[in-house]
Amino acid sequence: NALLTQSRLILLDASLIFFTGLTVMFWALFFTESHRPFGNRWWGYLLLTGVNLGNALSCKWVGLFLIATIGVWTLKDLWEKLGDLSITPAQYFKHFVARAISLIVVPLVVYLFWFQVHFSVLHKSGDGNAFMSPEFQNTLDGVNLGHTPRDVYYGSRVRIRHDATNAGYLHSHLSNYETGSKQQQITLYGFRDDNNYWVLTRTEDSEEAHQNSTTPNELQQIKDGDIVRLLHWRTHRRLHSHNERPPVTTNDYQNEVSGYGWEGFKGDSNDHWRVQILEGDSSIPDSKKKLMSIHSKFRLVHVNQRCALFSNRKKLPKWGHEQVEVSCMKSAKFPKTLWRIESNVNENIPASAPLAEYRRPSLIQKVLEATAVMWRVNNGLTKSHPYESRPHTWPWMRRGMAFWGSDSRSIYLLGTPILWWLSFVAVTSFAAVQVVLFLRDRRGFHDRLLGARERYMESVGFLSIGWVLHWIPFFLMGRQLFLHHYLPALWLAILALVGSLDLFTRRLSRKVRQVLMFALLLATVRMYFQYSHIAYGSPWTREGCERSKWFKSWDYDCSRFPVLHVTT
């Protein structure tokens, strides 16, 4: 029933389990050809295993657990071949290379292929742009970042992007903080507007010295180590920091960053920032010495407070328009204090001046960036959810998950109890049997399990190890988790149940075996129909709903179903 619900609602686990099934099938078929290594079928089944590993991984990263399962069994297989004296070193090397290509290279190629399809189909600009780097955005239809003058001079009006988070541009507007200094807000804003523009100016002493020089009208490029002031173009406030705590990140090593001053105000030393260029474009060596648009990645270090302009995606409250907080952090790590100039405007720059533009990333660079963004967003799902559950509750299905409800219908994720619980018994029984067999082997008893010991290990053992590798990793995750995360492990456990029943009933008479199988099938079908109402969202009665609740923790709402009135 749980698999049915996931499939009907077109959720990712359905396609993941489909490719998991294909992978297990081709892996099993591969071992049927083990007596004819390197034949056409041997290669075909091995390569198809790799292709479907890549397909599973392309559906969800839970496919990594499937790769781990196949990897563990591959190591076991290669270890056994290492002790087979009939296999020469050259043949063993061929076995190793064949598995490395088919089970590592091929899945990666398939993973890249589906990303290429993804990028080809979803090629337009959209609301998700802000998650990605400007280089990535520049490959989308509807985004034209164009080019901008490369060299950045004093007096230039610039738009400064935070490099590490891609959360947007250094921004200010006519709203004040409601805490701390209550001066003008400084934020990161993900969209391009005129409130993102800052004018880079000299300090008051430096400006006076420049005006008294022999070339006061000559353009002067900003260099690594220069002390600058940033004047907000629209509100005429300067970028400012002082010994006040920020509104959200209130640590002692964080200072508030604000907009301070007014038109005509000369400012003070708390407006002074030192430019530290940390990274440049290898093709333009001067980009690490002189400030350049796009090519130079730099820090702005506050001269008085010795802190660096910093952001980490924490949002301000509603009075801050829920924009991203900017602070000044002491001893900050480099990635989240790096900035880049994306747009550079200066009327005095000659038309023939060199230009800078974002490079278009390769497929692999785009995949790596998309993967990193998915990882960050996925790990950020840490808020409490009313239907979340933890992995230790999944094997006995302590609680399901509500998907949808109307006045008299409901869809609630819940498995077929008899299959769910018996499959858990099957994998735990395998572990118990292996412990007993190991202890008896140590005492000189070599049980054959009615001749089924090797088959039990090769079939149910593989599936049980897969179940463990699809379940245990969730204990290490701090993000939101739900019952549906157990479904790939459940599928393997059901196969382990079928394998166990098949092996351990072979010595029974045909009639007894048929009765056992029919009884299990009948109970399964009965439970399927009993719980199908919350799988399909079909009409139900309140009495039937209440009778189906074996545990109070199964919290689907029976009150929404009509009461069955019986008249006499």
Side-chain angles (χ1 to χ4, degrees):
N1 289 57
L3 298 172
L4 164 69
T5 303
Q6 289 290 107
S7 179
R8 292 189 73 245
L9 297 180
I10 324 177
L11 301 174
L12 292 177
D13 294 281
S15 52
L16 169 67
I17 292 171
F18 172 72
F19 289 117
T20 298
L22 285 180
T23 301
V24 172
M25 181 184 74
F26 286 121
W27 185 240
L29 288 171
F30 167 70
F31 276 94
T32 66
E33 297 294 319
S34 57
H35 60 291
R36 290 190 293 269
F38 308 110
N40 290 337
R41 287 191 176 184
W42 186 93
W43 271 111
Y45 293 144
L46 183 60
L47 288 170
L48 285 170
T49 300
V51 167
N52 286 289
L53 278 175
N55 288 335
L57 181 61
S58 299
C59 292
K60 288 182 75 173
W61 281 352
V62 175
L64 288 170
F65 305 155
L66 181 62
I67 291 175
T69 303
I70 299 297
V72 167
W73 216 250
T74 299
L75 292 175
K76 171 183 173 294
D77 181 46
L78 289 173
W79 178 257
E80 291 172 350
K81 282 180 168 48
L82 190 62
D84 188 347
L85 298 179
S86 66
I87 298 177
T88 66
Q91 290 173 327
Y92 184 83
F93 180 73
K94 287 177 64 179
H95 277 286
F96 179 85
V97 171
R99 286 159 175 78
I101 292 173
S102 301
L103 304 178
I104 298 176
V105 176
V106 169
L108 287 175
V109 170
V110 171
Y111 187 70
L112 291 174
F113 167 76
W114 286 119
F115 258 108
Q116 179 60 49
V117 172
H118 174 78
F119 293 143
S120 299
V121 173
L122 300 178
H123 55 85
K124 295 184 179 180
S125 173
D127 293 340
N129 285 12
F131 287 102
M132 313 310 293
S133 70
E135 287 89 349
F136 190 106
Q137 292 182 40
N138 212 26
T139 66
L140 301 173
D141 294 350
V143 175
N144 182 19
L145 299 179
H147 49 255
T148 192
R150 187 191 71 183
D151 299 332
V152 180
Y153 301 96
Y154 284 105
S156 291
R157 176 162 50 93
V158 298
R159 194 157 50 197
I160 304 173
R161 171 185 282 274
H162 193 237
D163 190 64
T165 62
N166 291 320
Y169 304 93
L170 188 65
H171 177 95
S172 190
H173 44 239
L174 287 173
S175 296
N176 292 346
Y177 293 119
E178 292 192 0
T179 63
S181 68
K182 299 187 178 180
Q183 295 173 5
Q184 187 166 297
Q185 296 170 13
I186 302 295
T187 66
L188 286 187
Y189 184 58
F191 301 93
R192 297 175 182 86
D193 69 13
D194 287 348
N195 280 327
N196 300 335
Y197 278 112
W198 299 82
V199 179
L200 297 171
T201 65
R202 301 177 181 86
T203 64
E204 189 176 358
D205 292 342
S206 178
E207 180 63 31
E208 184 178 348
H210 180 72
Q211 291 300 324
N212 291 330
S213 68
T214 57
T215 55
N217 297 321
E218 184 177 293
L219 286 172
Q220 183 181 0
Q221 189 170 357
I222 298 173
K223 303 184 296 299
D224 180 40
D226 281 4
I227 297 175
V228 301
R229 295 187 294 179
L230 289 87
L231 179 68
H232 191 245
W233 186 56
R234 299 287 288 183
T235 64
H236 303 286
R237 305 289 195 274
R238 288 188 175 86
L239 190 70
H240 183 93
S241 188
H242 41 224
N243 191 24
E244 291 276 356
R245 301 289 73 77
V248 178
T249 309
T250 56
N251 302 315
D252 290 342
Y253 51 83
Q254 295 268 17
N255 285 349
E256 178 191 86
V257 176
S258 64
Y260 179 65
W262 52 88
E263 192 170 359
F265 177 64
K266 293 183 178 180
D268 59 33
S269 61
N270 279 332
D271 304 334
H272 294 181
W273 301 83
R274 178 177 286 105
V275 176
Q276 287 186 351
I277 302 175
L278 298 181
E279 296 181 23
D281 192 322
S282 58
S283 64
I284 308 175
D286 278 354
S287 59
K288 282 198 69 174
K289 300 175 183 177
K290 299 177 180 179
L291 190 59
M292 297 184 182
S293 301
I294 297 174
H295 303 305
S296 300
K297 295 183 181 182
F298 61 95
R299 303 173 87 194
L300 288 171
V301 179
H302 196 264
V303 174
N304 288 350
Q305 297 294 327
R306 300 180 184 274
C307 55
L309 198 65
F310 170 90
S311 185
N312 62 355
R313 285 190 172 271
K314 289 189 176 181
K315 291 188 176 182
L316 295 171
K318 288 186 177 180
W319 53 256
H321 311 288
E322 296 185 337
Q323 295 179 12
V324 177
E325 181 186 56
V326 174
S327 63
C328 193
M329 184 175 181
K330 297 175 182 178
S331 303
K333 294 182 179 179
F334 290 145
K336 292 184 179 179
T337 59
L338 287 183
W339 303 81
R340 275 200 287 182
I341 291 175
E342 183 176 284
S343 178
N344 175 21
V345 180
N346 192 317
E347 295 177 354
N348 297 320
I349 296 177
S352 59
L355 302 176
E357 62 182 342
Y358 288 112
R359 293 180 177 178
R360 296 179 70 87
S362 65
L363 172 62
I364 292 178
Q365 288 172 323
K366 289 173 70 176
V367 170
L368 290 175
E369 179 177 341
T371 300
V373 170
M374 288 190 292
W375 178 267
R376 174 175 54 78
V377 172
N378 197 46
N379 285 340
L381 300 174
T382 55
K383 291 184 179 179
S384 179
H385 190 281
Y387 286 100
E388 68 180 331
S389 56
R390 299 310 299 173
H392 69 276
T393 68
W394 297 342
W396 52 86
M397 198 167 57
R398 178 183 174 274
R399 191 182 186 210
M401 180 182 179
F403 279 164
W404 171 83
S406 69
D407 292 339
S408 60
R409 301 183 184 213
S410 176
I411 294 179
Y412 184 93
L413 182 70
L414 194 73
T416 309
I418 190 170
L419 284 182
W420 200 286
W421 295 330
L422 284 180
S423 64
F424 179 54
V425 170
V427 293
T428 52
S429 297
F430 172 81
V433 168
Q434 294 306 307
V435 170
V436 171
L437 290 176
F438 174 77
L439 294 175
R440 287 180 60 81
D441 286 348
R442 298 293 292 175
R443 295 183 63 83
F445 300 97
H446 298 287
D447 303 294
R448 308 310 307 159
L449 295 183
L450 303 176
R453 182 170 179 175
E454 287 75 17
R455 177 65 66 87
Y456 188 50
M457 181 63 193
E458 294 299 320
S459 58
V460 179
F462 167 75
L463 296 166
S464 297
I465 289 173
W467 175 84
V468 169
L469 292 174
H470 280 75
W471 179 50
I472 296 298
F474 287 106
F475 285 89
L476 306 177
M477 299 182 188
R479 56 150 292 175
Q480 293 171 354
L481 294 172
F482 303 95
L483 185 65
H484 68 77
H485 287 114
Y486 182 67
L487 293 182
L490 171 70
W491 186 85
L492 292 165
I494 292 173
L495 288 190
L497 169 63
V498 173
S500 300
L501 287 172
D502 180 50
L503 288 172
F504 290 112
T505 61
R506 285 188 175 187
R507 294 300 180 94
L508 299 177
S509 68
R510 183 177 180 183
K511 183 173 289 187
V512 172
R513 202 178 191 215
Q514 287 178 340
V515 168
L516 286 174
M517 298 299 182
F518 181 75
L520 177 60
L521 178 61
L522 189 64
T524 302
V525 171
R526 181 187 177 281
M527 288 188 182
Y528 157 73
F529 279 111
Q530 182 179 12
Y531 293 98
S532 64
H533 304 281
I534 53 175
Y536 287 99
S538 58
W540 206 6
T541 64
R542 188 174 302 177
E543 291 82 359
C545 178
E546 294 290 355
R547 284 196 302 270
S548 72
K549 277 193 173 184
W550 295 3
F551 301 105
K552 291 182 179 179
S553 55
W554 292 1
D555 53 354
Y556 44 91
D557 185 9
C558 291
S559 64
R560 70 172 62 249
F561 299 107
V563 177
L564 180 63
H565 295 285
V566 180
T567 58
T568 58

